Amino acid sequence: MTHQPRARQKAIRILAALFCAAIALSACTPTTENPMNRSGSPSDPATVKAQVEELKQALADLHAFKVETQKVIGPQAWADKGTRNSACTTSDGKDGVNYIVLSQTMENLDLEPSVNVVKAFWESKGFTTRTETNPLDPGLIRLYADENGGHLVSFTANIKGSGLEMDSACVAGDQNAIYKELYPEIYGLPSGSSASPSTK
């Protein structure tokens, strides 16, 4: 009777050792499901090049939309104050990269009419909008708009100067890999055939 529990304990120890060995082996064994080893993964050169081209097209689309918006506001002179990249998240939750463009005019605007005409224009393009005012700053009206999976834009109408901040569509991909392809000179890499947009 005393030998049976010992035999069970020995069997349990052996099974536990085999189980741990199986876990250790599986942890060291590469699988074909590793996304970094599959063609078409974020690190795949052809995929990264395609993502960079998609990002450049998103910037071109954003500039065109910005110009349309400025024309709707009126004949004021606008100056781009900066174009930069940023990390973003796509509508389906993937990490990616987009462009952000800042544009400003120092010319006087009729604040409420300008906001209303931009609001109507953006809504005609499928955006959802909301307007904010500040009782402590009656010379300031902010209009925000977003489009699922696409642009995020805002218009600030101010008696001290008005501005547009516009985010391009988010392009899914590995941020570091995209930046290396987009700005090889920053990483000390030879420049490719595609020109890098300015981030200034």
Side-chain angles (χ1 to χ4, degrees), residues 153-197:
V153 294
S154 67
F155 171 46
T156 302
N158 196 324
I159 56 175
K160 300 175 183 177
S162 301
L164 288 163
E165 179 173 345
M166 302 184 135
D167 293 17
S168 76
C170 185
V171 175
D174 180 81
Q175 185 182 30
N176 191 53
I178 288 174
Y179 283 177
K180 281 185 177 180
E181 176 66 23
L182 194 59
Y183 309 109
E185 64 280 2
I186 296 176
Y187 293 85
L189 301 172
S191 296
S193 57
S194 58
S196 298

Side-chain angles (χ1 to χ4, degrees), residues 5-72:
R6 289 178 183 174
R8 285 181 181 173
Q9 289 175 1
K10 186 175 181 180
I12 290 171
R13 283 196 299 271
I14 291 172
L15 287 172
L18 289 172
F19 179 72
C20 291
I23 291 176
L25 285 173
S26 66
C28 298
T29 304
T31 67
T32 56
E33 291 303 310
N34 185 345
M36 300 307 292
N37 293 335
R38 289 201 306 263
S39 176
S41 73
S43 61
D44 178 68
T47 299
V48 174
K49 286 182 183 294
Q51 289 165 343
V52 167
E53 291 306 311
E54 186 179 353
L55 186 61
K56 289 179 181 179
Q57 184 59 54
L59 178 61
D61 294 343
L62 184 65
H63 272 298
F65 185 68
K66 179 198 68 175
V67 170
E68 283 186 272
T69 300
Q70 290 167 345
K71 288 180 178 178
V72 165

Side-chain angles (χ1 to χ4, degrees), residues 1 38-39 49 55-56 76 88 93 100-101 107 112 115 122 144 147 157 173 192:
M1 298 293 293
R38 289 201 306 263
S39 176
K49 286 182 183 294
L55 186 61
K56 289 179 181 179
Q76 294 80 13
C88 59
I100 299 174
V101 175
E107 298 184 30
E112 288 191 22
V115 169
W122 285 353
Y144 299 92
E147 184 180 47

Side-chain angles (χ1 to χ4, degrees), residues 124-136:
S124 75
K125 298 295 184 180
F127 287 85
T128 301
T129 65
R130 63 184 173 88
T131 306
E132 290 183 358
T133 57
N134 185 349
L136 300 178

